[in-house]
Amino acid sequence: MGRLLHSSFALLVFIAVALTLQSVQASDPELTKDFQVPAGINAADIDGTFFTSEALRNVTPNVASPFATVTTANLVAPAKAPFLAVDGLGVSMALLQFPPGTVNPPHTHPRGTELLFIIEGTLDVGLVDTTNKLFTNTLYKGDIFAFPKGLVHFQINKDKYKTVTALGGFSSSNAGLVRLPNTLFNTSTPISDKVLQISFGISGDVVKALRAQFA
């Protein structure tokens, strides 16, 4: 009996350690210094500009697109001037602008939780958990909504006249982005038409039409 209890306890300890390691590996690595100095840069040459990003300055939305304009400031974007100061800090940001009737289509951030803050306007949001339960709400100026890491979520501006402006904060220096419509139906995606037909219960013509939308 004692040996059985000991074995059960050891198994529980092993599971706890494994889950802890999995959690750690799924997050940004923890720094053991004040901040990460990029390769090729002399630490003595770093000043306040290193900790500053101008990526969100004077951004204007694309009013011709049906989708929200999302401008990010993280470790990899914008491509010409990534925000290198956030490397290892586990944070990043995005400016979201929703002209009337635009949507941020269903997507996920595989490496980070998102907090969305409404700066101006009214925005409808939703997320789906792993039990396929849908959570929705209407957000107003000053509201904050949490989108847990990895869960599918979306936002839409239903107003016909006003633009919505929001700020997204992420628990990763590069939270990642998987836009489901684009990922599944983009012509460059190597998922076969047959797989999509069977998975969604649609015809080959519908698959081709959807691919044409995301070419």
Side-chain angles (χ1 to χ4, degrees):
M1 183 67 173
R3 183 174 299 177
L4 178 61
L5 289 174
H6 183 271
S7 299
S8 298
F9 178 76
L11 177 60
L12 289 173
V13 170
F14 173 79
I15 293 174
V17 171
L19 290 174
T20 300
L21 289 175
Q22 182 182 32
S23 174
V24 170
Q25 291 171 352
S27 304
D28 286 13
E30 182 179 356
L31 287 179
T32 56
K33 48 190 172 183
D34 293 339
F35 57 90
Q36 182 68 41
V37 178
I41 294 181
N42 189 330
D45 295 332
I46 290 179
D47 58 19
T49 60
F50 173 73
F51 299 96
T52 304
S53 173
E54 299 177 0
L56 309 186
R57 181 187 293 184
N58 300 323
V59 178
T60 56
N62 180 4
V63 296
S65 172
F67 305 119
T69 299
V70 181
T71 307
T72 55
N74 60 37
L75 188 58
V76 297
K80 293 182 178 179
F83 198 6
L84 300 181
V86 300
D87 188 10
L89 301 183
V91 293
S92 58
M93 299 189 77
L95 177 67
L96 296 89
Q97 297 168 296
F98 295 82
T102 56
V103 63
N104 194 7
H107 62 281
T108 71
H109 302 292
R111 293 184 293 274
T113 290
E114 176 183 1
L115 285 179
L116 187 70
F117 173 70
I118 307 301
I119 298 174
E120 195 66 48
T122 302
L123 190 68
D124 286 87
V125 304
L127 68 87
V128 181
D129 71 7
T130 54
T131 68
N132 291 324
K133 182 176 180 179
L134 174 65
F135 301 84
T136 62
N137 204 1
T138 300
L139 306 182
Y140 301 90
K141 180 179 179 179
D143 289 352
I144 300 173
F145 194 89
F147 298 101
K149 178 173 64 175
L151 296 188
V152 175
H153 59 282
F154 59 89
Q155 302 101 21
I156 182 171
N157 177 12
K158 295 181 179 179
D159 196 294
K160 296 180 181 180
Y161 307 102
K162 298 179 180 179
T163 293
V164 176
T165 304
L167 195 63
F170 301 92
S171 63
S172 170
S173 58
N174 179 19
L177 173 64
V178 180
R179 287 193 181 96
L180 300 187
N182 186 274
T183 298
L184 294 172
F185 294 102
N186 192 290
T187 52
S188 63
T189 301
I191 300 177
S192 74
D193 288 6
K194 194 67 175 179
V195 169
L196 295 173
Q197 290 176 49
I198 296 173
S199 298
F200 290 95
I202 55 180
S203 68
D205 289 339
V206 173
V207 171
K208 288 183 175 60
L210 287 169
R211 286 198 185 280
Q213 292 293 321
F214 298 99

